């Protein structure tokens, strides 16, 4: 190919769903790309972007390509195919603008870019004009086979990959003529797929895998599946004949306990633990013991990574936006006899997993599962200790995140606590996508607090990039605050003074105290 002065198109295979199954090369290229493009249905939730999120960086351009239709009808003059073709042309034109401007574009594709993927439609429309390279990914067939835990094909056996959208008669014929099969594109097609499995005599040997490699993964006998509950991201596998013991229907939680000696259901439990803010010295001996005794760890990937790897202990990591699903998985594991430690940073009862686990544990199906909560050093106390005792009197903890509660509620609570003259520890002040709340908080507080009120900014306290600064409320710059920062806003009795060790801050328990 001749020298190219324009940008490069990367077709990035993300694998089946688990962010840890993204290849090293794919992760590197996602982070480096000028533009990250991804598809979604009209609801706007992109599975591909969710997988790639750990590897995105601030400042990247995102191109969200929204399908006009998926399975529904359309009034487009060209029908369904006409609507889709027009969408692909428009999407390609959007990406071509970036490529012509010299920007690199990473187009995300769940699984492999050339295996039943939308990427190939962009490749056909762009690769003749711009340099393009494909980064392969783990396919859903491989992930489903791994979830099944039995060989899909052996020796000279033939594997046939089939779309569930085929006519039942053709699907039946192909199932009869192959050793092993993987049937994709399920969802609404499952009744026809089940009929073909039955007509070909393969139903009793077929298994159903849903959302392979994700925290919502399920594995069942194909004959036991309720067709009304089958999502598109499911697959049916028919393993080739082998002298192996048939696999019984089970979900991911059940499989996770198979390596553990059988135990009665009452032997399982969930222990929700807090690791402390960052320094391993701040993890209590009680928590360390619970982690060592656990058969399974469940938690946000960043926190799970802080726990030393132990042989035989299973680790179920996920992102930080699936609290209820994570809690249900932990309780389900324990229901089947596992000793589960749900891992949080800081204290598990402070904007962490304890509330989520207890909320889900109130469901009747988990009434026999014991749940314990082991405390941890809070981030607020850790930051406070670095400057003295800014939380020495009454104080409140407030999260600025409006992901689970509306901003009006946050502002109301800030105003009430400020009017009550209490120090405030501010959690979750900002993120790469949520920037305006810190400035709004400052304005609410200034209606009740003097601009000279001491403010402590503690970032990554206990971690390798720790920094702690003391400023005033009037000086607070939102651009200096991110998700890893905790703020402590003083009250009217909070004072700051200089020592040889730096600025010290305390909140007196007696009104009228001055330095």
């Amino acid at each position: 190919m001749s020298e190219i002065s324009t940008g490069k198109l990367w077709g990035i295979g993300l694998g089946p769903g688990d962010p840890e199954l993204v290849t090293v090369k794919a992760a590197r290229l996602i982070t480096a790309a000028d533009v990250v493009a991804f598809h979604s249905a009209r609801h706007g939730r992109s599975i591909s972007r969710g997988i790639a999120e750990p590897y995105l960086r601030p400042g990247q351009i995102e191109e969200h390509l929204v399908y006009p239709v998926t399975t529904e009808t359309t009034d487009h003059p060209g029908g369904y195919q006409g609507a889709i073709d027009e969408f692909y042309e428009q999407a390609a034109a959007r990406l071509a603008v970036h490529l012509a401007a010299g920007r690199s574009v990473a187009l995300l594709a769940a699984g492999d870019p050339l295996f039943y993927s939308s990427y190939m439609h962009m490749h056909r429309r762009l690769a003749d004009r711009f340099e393009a390279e494909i980064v392969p990914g783990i396919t859903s067939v491989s992930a489903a086979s791994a979830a099944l835990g039995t060989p899909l094909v052996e020796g000279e056996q033939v594997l046939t990959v089939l779309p569930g959208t085929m006519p039942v008669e053709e699907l039946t014929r192909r199932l009869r003529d192959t050793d092993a099969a993987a049937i994709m594109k399920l969802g609404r097609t499952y009744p026809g797929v089940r009929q073909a499995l039955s007509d070909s005599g393969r139903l009793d040997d077929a298994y159903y895998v849903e959302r392979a490699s994700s925290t919502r993964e399920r594995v069942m006998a194909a004959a036991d599946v309720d067709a009304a509950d089958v999502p598109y991201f499911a697959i049916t596998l028919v393993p080739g004949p082998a002298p192996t013991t048939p696999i019984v229907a089970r979900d991911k939680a059940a499989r996770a306990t198979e390596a553990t000696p059988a135990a009665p259901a009452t032997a399982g439990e969930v222990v929700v633990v807090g690791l402390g803010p960052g320094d391993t010295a701040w993890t209590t001996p009680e928590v360390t013991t619970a982690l060592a005794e656990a058969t399974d760890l469940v938690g946000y990937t960043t926190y799970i990574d802080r726990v030393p790897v132990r042989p035989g202990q299973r680790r179920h990591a996920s992102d930080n936006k699936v609290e209820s699903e994570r809690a249900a998985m932990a309780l389900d594991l324990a229901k089947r006899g596992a000793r589960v430690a749900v891992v949080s940073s800081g204290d598990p009862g402070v904007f962490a997993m304890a509330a989520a686990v207890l909320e889900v544990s109130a469901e009747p199906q988990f009434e026999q599962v014991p749940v314990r909560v082991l405390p941890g050093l809070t981030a607020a106390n850790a930051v406070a200790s670095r400057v003295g005792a800014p939380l020495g009197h009454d104080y409140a903890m407030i999260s600025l995140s409006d992901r689970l509660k509306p901003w009006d509620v946050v502002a109301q609570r800030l105003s009430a606590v400020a009017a009550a003259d209490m120090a405030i520890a501010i959690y979750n002040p900002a993120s790469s996508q949520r920037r305006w709340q810190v400035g709004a908080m400052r304005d609410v507080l200034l209606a009740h607090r003097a601009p000279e009120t001491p403010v402590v900014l503690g970032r990554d306290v206990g971690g390798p990039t720790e920094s702690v600064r003391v400023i005033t409320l009037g000086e607070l710059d939102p651009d200096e605050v991110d998700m890893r920062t905790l703020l402590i806003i003083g009250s009217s009795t909070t004072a700051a003074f200089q020592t040889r060790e730096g600025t010290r801050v305390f909140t007196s328990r007696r009104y009228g105290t001055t330095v």
Side-chain angles (χ1 to χ4, degrees):
M1 193 173 202
S2 60
E3 182 177 349
I4 296 176
S5 59
T6 52
K8 184 172 181 177
L9 174 66
W10 293 92
I12 305 292
L14 297 173
D18 183 347
E20 292 188 324
L21 293 180
V22 174
T23 66
V24 173
K25 183 173 184 177
R28 174 175 59 80
L29 291 170
I30 292 168
T31 302
D34 300 315
V35 181
V36 177
F38 47 88
H39 293 84
S40 83
R42 287 189 292 182
H43 53 59
R45 298 185 298 275
S46 172
I47 291 175
S48 293
R49 190 193 184 283
I51 299 170
E53 186 171 14
Y55 310 108
L56 300 177
R57 60 176 170 78
Q60 284 178 299
I61 300 169
E62 295 190 8
E63 284 287 358
H64 188 176
L65 310 174
V66 181
Y67 290 108
V69 289
T70 47
T71 58
E72 65 271 26
T73 59
T74 177
D75 56 4
H76 191 280
Y80 178 88
Q81 193 58 51
I84 287 295
D85 288 342
E86 183 178 284
F87 162 71
Y88 285 136
E89 291 295 335
Q90 293 172 348
R94 287 170 60 181
L95 301 187
V97 171
H98 294 295
L99 294 166
R103 302 186 189 103
S104 58
V105 177
L107 179 52
L108 307 180
D112 182 89
L114 298 182
F115 190 76
Y116 292 117
S117 168
S118 294
Y119 169 78
M120 63 188 71
H121 300 287
M122 297 294 98
H123 190 85
R124 292 193 186 104
R125 289 167 171 82
L126 295 170
D128 61 338
R129 292 180 284 158
F130 305 99
E131 185 179 4
E133 185 172 333
I134 295 165
V135 179
I138 297 171
T139 70
S140 58
V141 174
S142 297
S145 180
L148 195 60
T150 194
L152 188 55
V153 282
E154 299 183 53
E156 303 300 319
Q157 293 176 348
V158 174
L159 169 67
T160 303
V161 179
L162 302 165
T165 51
M166 296 180 72
V168 173
E169 296 78 11
E170 180 65 13
L171 200 55
T172 300
R173 182 184 70 78
R174 291 177 181 258
L175 284 168
R176 284 175 177 154
D177 293 342
T178 190
D179 298 306
I183 308 175
M184 307 180 66
K185 299 179 180 288
L186 298 186
R188 297 182 183 183
T189 70
Y190 196 74
V193 169
R194 178 174 174 148
Q195 185 63 49
L197 288 166
S198 178
D199 292 348
S200 63
R202 308 299 294 270
L203 182 59
D204 290 343
D205 300 322
Y207 296 93
Y208 167 89
V209 183
E210 180 178 309
R211 297 184 174 91
S213 84
S214 77
T215 56
R216 300 168 64 190
E217 179 184 290
R218 286 201 305 159
V219 179
M220 302 173 63
D224 296 337
V225 175
D226 183 351
D229 295 330
V230 175
Y232 182 81
F233 289 98
I235 188 169
T236 296
L237 295 181
V238 184
T244 56
T245 302
I247 298 175
V248 297
R250 67 215 189 275
D251 62 16
K252 188 171 188 177
R255 292 195 315 283
T257 62
E258 287 179 352
T260 304
T266 54
E269 70 165 350
V270 173
V271 183
V272 191
V273 305
L275 300 177
D279 193 327
T280 55
W282 287 343
T283 301
T284 68
E286 182 183 37
V287 167
T288 300
T289 298
L291 291 171
E293 293 175 346
T295 61
D296 295 76
L297 302 183
V298 172
Y300 174 36
T301 300
T302 300
Y303 304 150
I304 289 281
D305 288 345
R306 289 175 50 189
V307 180
V309 175
R310 292 180 173 86
Q313 190 177 67
R314 293 166 295 276
R315 301 160 77 93
H316 311 275
S318 57
D319 67 31
N320 63 345
K321 297 179 182 178
V322 289
E323 288 92 347
S324 296
E325 293 88 342
R326 194 184 301 148
M329 181 184 184
L331 290 159
D332 210 17
L333 284 164
K335 186 177 178 181
R336 289 165 170 78
R339 299 185 303 279
V340 184
V342 177
V343 182
S344 293
S345 181
D347 182 274
V350 179
F351 305 119
M353 281 300 297
V357 171
L358 289 167
E359 183 176 2
V360 177
S361 74
E363 297 177 7
Q365 61 178 315
F366 298 124
E367 62 182 356
Q368 299 301 319
V369 178
V371 177
R372 292 189 292 136
V373 179
L374 303 185
L377 177 66
T378 69
N381 292 145
V383 172
S385 71
R386 293 306 202 220
V387 296
L391 302 179
H393 197 17
D394 301 334
Y395 71 92
M397 294 178 173
I398 296 179
S399 170
L400 281 200
S401 173
D402 56 357
R403 187 169 68 86
L404 299 177
K405 62 181 183 292
W407 174 254
D408 289 346
V409 172
V410 178
Q412 183 181 28
R413 291 176 180 176
L414 287 168
S415 181
V417 172
D421 197 24
M422 297 167 64
I424 314 171
I426 301 293
Y427 281 71
N428 308 316
S431 70
S432 60
Q433 305 297 321
R434 184 170 51 81
R435 302 300 307 163
W436 59 268
Q437 282 89 339
V438 175
M441 173 205 71
R442 179 193 58 203
D443 295 342
V444 170
L445 297 179
L446 282 172
H448 302 278
R449 301 279 167 92
E452 296 77 24
T453 301
V455 174
V456 182
L457 282 74
R459 187 180 187 282
D460 190 30
V461 170
T465 61
E466 174 181 318
S467 67
V468 180
R469 296 176 54 224
V470 180
I471 60 173
T472 66
L473 184 58
E475 295 172 333
L476 179 58
D477 181 357
D479 290 337
E480 296 182 1
V481 179
D482 62 14
M483 197 65 172
R484 301 181 69 186
T485 305
L486 184 136
L487 305 177
I488 297 178
I489 315 294
S491 70
S492 67
T493 67
T494 302
F497 62 99
Q498 297 298 318
T499 71
R500 287 180 298 179
E501 291 78 28
T503 305
R504 309 297 284 170
V505 182
F506 71 94
T507 297
S508 176
R509 296 171 62 190
R510 294 175 292 179
Y511 273 69
T513 299
T514 58
V515 179

